[in-house]
Amino acid sequence: MDNFFTSIPLAEKLLEKNLTLVGTLRQNKPDIPPVMKPNKLREKYSSKFGFCGNMTMRKPEVIQYYNHTKSGVDTMDQMVRTYTCKRRTRRWPMVLWHNVLDVATLNAFTSYTAQHPGYMGGVTNARRLFIKELGKELVMPHMRRRMEGTSHLQTHITEAMERCGLKKVSTATTQPQEGQVKRKRCKICPTAKDRKASSWCSKCTSPVCKEHKHVVVICEACMH
């Protein structure tokens, strides 16, 4: 692991399950003993006695193991940077939350492709398409709840929802709905006229005045 994930409590939890980890720790971590923290005298001592001609002091085995197996961490960091939701912010909880989303999305893609090896075979941007579909599925319940719970949504919002495959079932009539008293400005009239309307279009649910609404008259004989 790299320093973002490595911690002493995590190592102790993994050890309870007979698992070990190798990772890096930042110098300011409180779990690091003082004897292991950088020291000017220790650095001077190492530079004086750590070299002998062209021979250098051999690296500890744990460092060699980390350098040999750290490719997985580097690959994850690289993949996360390719498609990330991170934004510049000074709020550290948001930074942590963005990283959680990026790593969770990568893990979801890895797990799904492991269970479905033939998923988008040969497509170079399969992970991008997966993230797009995942985001769509996550926001779909919210969009459906908003569409069903809001009587009059703005046109550009409903159009965006329709592009995502969510169609609004029109239940509007030419009369104001129950509980709605306040009239709204006609959608077709110029804003300067500020003409209020008490009727709504039965298709797009937009308010329309008497000038721009069309009433279909049917006699009683034709109705039967």
Side-chain angles (χ1 to χ4, degrees):
M1 302 180 179
D2 60 4
N3 54 69
F4 191 88
F5 301 99
T6 309
S7 66
I8 300 300
L10 176 60
E12 293 175 348
K13 288 291 184 180
L14 292 176
L15 190 59
E16 294 177 359
K17 301 180 180 296
N18 295 325
L19 297 173
T20 60
L21 68 85
V22 177
T24 56
L25 283 172
R26 293 187 182 274
Q27 299 179 4
N28 58 354
K29 291 293 184 179
D31 301 316
I32 302 179
V35 69
M36 297 182 62
K37 294 185 176 181
N39 186 285
K40 293 184 178 180
L41 296 177
R42 190 180 303 112
E43 294 176 0
K44 183 178 180 180
Y45 180 85
S46 300
S47 62
K48 182 177 180 180
F49 298 99
F51 295 88
C52 181
N54 294 329
M55 298 178 60
T56 60
M57 184 169 53
R58 184 179 179 183
K59 294 181 179 180
E61 183 180 357
V62 64
I63 298 180
Q64 293 181 351
Y65 179 80
Y66 176 81
N67 292 334
H68 180 69
T69 58
K70 69 177 182 179
S71 59
V73 176
D74 296 337
T75 303
M76 188 210 70
D77 292 338
Q78 180 181 2
M79 296 180 70
V80 166
R81 283 195 299 266
T82 303
Y83 302 112
T84 178
C85 64
K86 291 182 179 179
R87 297 294 184 269
R88 293 187 60 181
T89 177
R90 296 182 178 180
R91 301 168 58 191
W92 68 264
M94 292 301 299
V95 177
L96 180 62
W97 174 242
H98 290 159
N99 187 80
V100 169
L101 289 179
D102 289 338
V103 176
T105 304
L106 177 60
N107 291 343
F109 175 75
T110 304
S111 300
Y112 187 83
T113 52
Q115 297 177 5
H116 305 83
Y119 175 72
M120 292 190 181
V123 179
T124 57
N125 61 339
R127 180 164 166 254
R128 176 179 176 273
L129 298 177
F130 176 84
I131 294 175
K132 183 178 179 180
E133 187 67 21
L134 176 62
K136 178 181 175 182
E137 293 296 329
L138 289 175
V139 301
M140 189 64 70
H142 171 70
M143 289 195 302
R144 187 177 292 106
R145 183 171 59 251
R146 186 179 182 187
M147 179 172 286
E148 295 175 354
T150 307
S151 57
H152 298 287
L153 288 173
Q154 297 182 12
T155 305
H156 69 277
I157 296 178
T158 56
E159 291 177 351
M161 291 181 176
E162 290 178 357
R163 286 195 296 269
C164 294
L166 190 62
K167 299 246 180 188
K168 182 176 179 64
V169 179
S170 179
T171 58
T173 63
T174 56
Q175 299 297 327
Q177 295 183 357
E178 183 180 356
Q180 185 169 2
V181 180
K182 186 178 179 181
R183 299 187 303 169
K184 293 188 176 182
R185 184 185 294 114
C186 177
K187 177 183 177 182
I188 303 176
C189 291
T191 308
K193 287 187 176 182
D194 194 22
R195 183 179 293 174
K196 301 299 182 181
S198 58
S199 301
W200 281 262
C201 178
S202 59
K203 291 186 177 180
C204 65
T205 69
S206 300
V208 288
C209 63
K210 294 181 180 180
E211 180 183 351
H212 297 107
K213 74 176 182 179
H214 296 277
V215 180
V216 179
V217 179
I218 303 176
C219 68
E220 185 176 355
C222 293
M223 289 182 62
H224 298 286

